[in-house]
Amino acid sequence: MKLESGQQPGMTIPKERHYSDRVGWLRAAVLGANDGIVSTASLVIGMATAGAGLSGVLTAGAAGAVAGAMSMAAGEYVSVSSQKDTERADLARERRELKANYAHEVRELAEIYEARGLAPALAHEVAEKLMHHDALAAHARDELGFSTVNQARPLQAAMASALMFLSGAALPMICLLLAQFTMATSVTVALGSLLALALLGALSARIGGSRLWVAIVRVTFWGALAMGVTALVGWAFGVASS
């Protein structure tokens, strides 16, 4: 085995740090927290601008938080389970094809490696060796694009979304209580929620290794838009009912 420059025999190569292994739970967590903040804040602001009393706004906010968390959990579980079912079906089909025509599957894998730049003879040799080690895993990875990084985990996605939704929903509710339900309630909830969204964007960027300001602007812009539209709806209904 050829050693890299500066590498000594027996030296362990440090494991590189990557962010892609966090994609599954990070997506569900960020989506849950973002939805919890935006939907609950929008609901509270809409009710407040419509002229509802404190008890009504609190009830609507609490009910929205619980309903939203359950909806997020159910939605994530169903959608990711559907993804997992598709993965299982593809693997079952690939297993049957390997059993029916092994030589064809070797050529199929070799062609994939040729397309990536290997010489035909080397591509065929690599395909044979990898399939000898684990034929199904080789095709799952290189033909179907499956990996442990993006593997579907329905329960993990559901729990992450629900818990983060509740965590996000708690922030507008806290702002509502701190505002003591004055005329500035909607402004306080909106500002507090936008600050929380900015922090969420910064945290997701830090964990995911993306650009900080892009993530912050993205989540705060859409959050502000949702709150503004809901406030207008609440105001319009409040005026109509008065």
Side-chain angles (χ1 to χ4, degrees):
M1 182 178 67
K2 183 180 178 181
L3 298 177
E4 298 293 335
S5 178
Q7 182 182 345
Q8 301 298 323
M11 180 185 296
T12 302
I13 300 176
K15 186 177 180 180
E16 294 181 354
R17 180 185 178 187
H18 296 286
Y19 297 99
S20 57
D21 58 345
R22 306 172 181 177
V23 168
W25 66 263
L26 180 60
R27 180 195 64 82
V30 171
L31 179 62
N34 183 80
D35 276 7
I37 296 170
V38 173
S39 62
T40 306
S42 298
L43 181 59
V44 166
I45 292 170
M47 291 291 290
T49 54
L54 177 59
S55 61
V57 176
L58 283 173
T59 301
V66 174
M70 296 304 296
S71 176
M72 288 290 296
E76 283 288 341
Y77 188 84
V78 170
S79 64
V80 179
S81 292
S82 297
Q83 177 189 339
K84 191 170 185 178
D85 290 342
T86 302
E87 291 178 0
R88 285 174 175 170
D90 276 341
L91 289 174
R93 180 181 179 181
E94 197 64 35
R95 194 178 287 109
R96 291 193 299 270
E97 291 175 350
L98 286 167
K99 187 176 182 180
N101 197 339
Y102 188 88
H104 171 76
E105 293 301 307
V106 173
R107 290 195 301 272
E108 188 176 45
L109 199 61
E111 288 175 0
I112 294 174
Y113 297 145
E114 283 184 50
R116 293 179 182 175
L118 294 184
L122 180 57
H124 189 80
E125 181 183 357
V126 171
E128 284 187 326
K129 288 185 178 297
L130 287 177
M131 288 182 64
H132 177 73
H133 176 69
D134 191 333
L136 184 61
H139 280 269
R141 179 181 60 250
D142 294 319
E143 181 185 351
L144 302 177
F146 296 164
S147 71
T148 56
V149 171
N150 57 17
Q151 184 179 4
R153 297 181 176 88
L155 190 59
Q156 181 191 67
M159 291 180 64
S161 288
L163 290 175
M164 292 306 294
F165 186 98
L166 288 173
S167 299
L171 296 173
M173 298 296 286
I174 292 172
C175 292
L176 173 62
L177 294 173
L178 291 177
Q180 297 180 351
F181 209 69
T182 64
M183 292 297 293
T185 295
S186 296
V187 176
T188 303
V189 172
L191 291 177
S193 299
L194 288 175
L195 176 60
L197 285 172
L199 292 174
L200 175 65
L203 180 61
S204 64
R206 179 77 178 97
I207 296 175
S210 59
R211 289 183 294 175
L212 181 66
W213 288 108
V214 172
I216 292 175
V217 171
R218 182 168 54 217
V219 296
T220 52
F221 171 78
W222 290 107
L225 181 63
M227 293 176 210
V229 170
T230 312
L232 288 175
V233 171
W235 174 82
F237 274 87
V239 171
S241 62
S242 61

